[in-house]
Amino acid sequence: KDNIIITLKSDKLLEIEYLGGDCPNGCSTKYAVNRMGFFTKDDRTGQNTVHLGKALDQVQITGLIREIEKADFSLIRSKPFTGVCPTAYDGQEITYKFYTSRALETVSSCQTEIDYDSALFKTIQSIIE
């Protein structure tokens, strides 16, 4: 019998990780959204892990896909972060991973001065609230 390997393109769209904070065993909160609109949150603060999942409505997922696909990630990363990363004083670093149709794009709050008033980050914020 022949072994057949099928590779599927990832259905991931967006991952956000908040890392750091004042937790005895480390803090980490991860959000993920796939292209079908399923949204998950994993919260690991100390000993407890909470996993929540829900589906985004069609308007939300369509808007998010549109903002990610039209984003200019070179422009987004063009302004470097110049302060002290908040993880140095029990704060959090936020890392965004965008799975576009072209490439994986990563933006870190400790490397980039993120414009949270931009359409892309406002759309993200409306989803994770």
Side-chain angles (χ1 to χ4, degrees):
K1 293 182 179 178
D2 293 333
N3 289 331
I4 299 173
I5 298 172
I6 299 173
T7 304
L8 297 175
K9 185 176 178 180
S10 173
D11 71 341
K12 292 179 183 179
L13 181 61
L14 170 66
E15 293 178 337
I16 307 166
E17 181 175 19
Y18 292 78
L19 188 60
D22 187 18
C23 299
N25 296 317
C27 300
S28 173
T29 301
K30 293 182 182 181
Y31 296 92
V33 180
N34 72 19
R35 292 185 181 278
M36 299 302 294
F38 191 69
F39 170 77
T40 59
K41 176 184 177 187
D42 289 311
D43 188 12
R44 294 177 190 92
T45 52
Q47 302 276 337
N48 301 319
T49 298
V50 177
H51 177 78
L52 305 170
K54 68 176 184 176
L56 302 178
D57 65 39
Q58 191 61 44
V59 171
Q60 288 175 309
I61 193 63
T62 301
L64 181 59
I65 290 171
R66 182 180 53 249
E67 292 301 328
I68 289 173
E69 289 299 327
K70 75 177 189 180
D72 181 343
F73 289 99
S74 294
L75 181 62
I76 289 170
R77 289 188 292 262
S78 67
K79 186 174 181 187
F81 175 76
T82 57
V84 175
C85 184
T87 58
Y89 49 87
D90 292 333
Q92 294 185 316
E93 175 182 12
I94 307 168
T95 301
Y96 298 86
K97 291 183 181 179
F98 299 94
Y99 295 83
T100 74
S101 60
R102 300 169 307 279
L104 170 63
E105 301 284 354
T106 302
V107 178
S108 166
S109 65
C110 288
Q111 296 174 356
T112 301
E113 191 69 43
I114 297 173
D115 179 5
Y116 290 104
D117 289 327
S118 69
L120 174 61
F121 288 96
K122 281 185 173 183
T123 300
I124 292 168
Q125 193 60 37
S126 72
I127 290 170
I128 64 173
E129 288 181 336

